[in-house]
Amino acid sequence: MKEKRTALHISLIAVSAALVAVFTIAVRIPVPATAGYISLCDAAVVFVSYAFGPFTGLIAGGLGSAFADLLGGYPQFALLSFIVHGLEALLAGLLVKKNSQSIPTMIVGAIISIIIVCGGYLLLETLFITTFSSALVEVPMNALQSGVGAVVGLLLYTAVRKAYRNLDAIRW
């Protein structure tokens, strides 16, 4: 029985990582001033972490966003995206898992994801890609992307959970 559960979990992670990559690549608005882009990555990351748990979100969010950067022509951001979006999913998902799946708790999780994305990219870009002042210019766009993504991800999760009541049975 454990093998069946493990195979299901690996499959769920693979499909979730693909979902994150598709959300990241499908709607991508380049931002020339920062050499980056705005996407719906965070919508998928938040949805996956709420729907399937923090550890599925960690792996799927990190891998999906990194693959999207590699495939989409932004390889300089791949490692950063892996770390930031993986951590975003882990922490937001842990909060929701440990407390409750109430709307207020999920909103706090969404706020945490916004802080992680903005702070994570600011720190990691400063350390590995550019200067602090250049990375600071990206904070408003990262806040916009992660804020919209958190709202869309929360709404998507709420709608899917309402339509599929047994969704909670496959959280890890």
Side-chain angles (χ1 to χ4, degrees):
M1 187 69 170
K2 186 176 179 181
E3 294 82 20
K4 184 176 180 182
R5 186 171 169 97
T6 301
L8 176 64
H9 193 204
I10 291 169
S11 301
L12 182 62
I13 289 170
V15 169
S16 296
L19 177 75
V20 172
V22 167
F23 268 58
T24 305
I25 293 172
V27 177
R28 188 167 48 190
I29 303 165
V31 181
T34 63
Y37 61 89
I38 295 176
S39 72
L40 288 177
C41 171
D42 299 289
V45 170
V46 168
F47 169 76
V48 168
S49 69
Y50 286 179
F52 307 123
F55 299 106
T56 301
L58 166 71
I59 298 166
L63 286 178
S65 61
F67 284 148
D69 284 342
L70 290 172
L71 294 171
Y74 293 87
Q76 70 274 22
F77 290 105
L79 180 59
L80 280 63
S81 293
F82 179 81
I83 294 167
V84 169
H85 293 294
L87 189 61
E88 169 191 14
L90 177 67
L91 294 180
L94 279 173
L95 174 76
V96 169
K97 181 179 180 179
K98 287 187 178 186
N99 294 308
S100 72
Q101 291 183 325
S102 68
I103 296 296
T105 301
M106 288 189 280
I107 290 171
V108 171
I111 292 168
I112 288 171
S113 75
I114 295 167
I115 293 168
I116 290 168
V117 169
C118 292
Y121 275 114
L122 177 64
L123 175 67
L124 294 175
E125 285 184 35
T126 299
L127 291 174
F128 299 111
I129 295 179
T130 188
T131 64
F132 176 77
S133 58
S134 295
L136 193 60
V137 171
E138 292 189 22
V139 171
M141 290 305 211
N142 286 337
L144 175 67
Q145 172 184 305
S146 58
V148 169
V151 169
V152 171
L154 189 138
L155 293 173
L156 182 61
Y157 170 70
T158 303
V160 170
R161 185 175 180 211
K162 187 175 183 179
Y164 300 100
R165 295 277 180 205
N166 64 346
L167 183 65
D168 294 334
I170 56 174
R171 288 177 52 86
W172 280 279

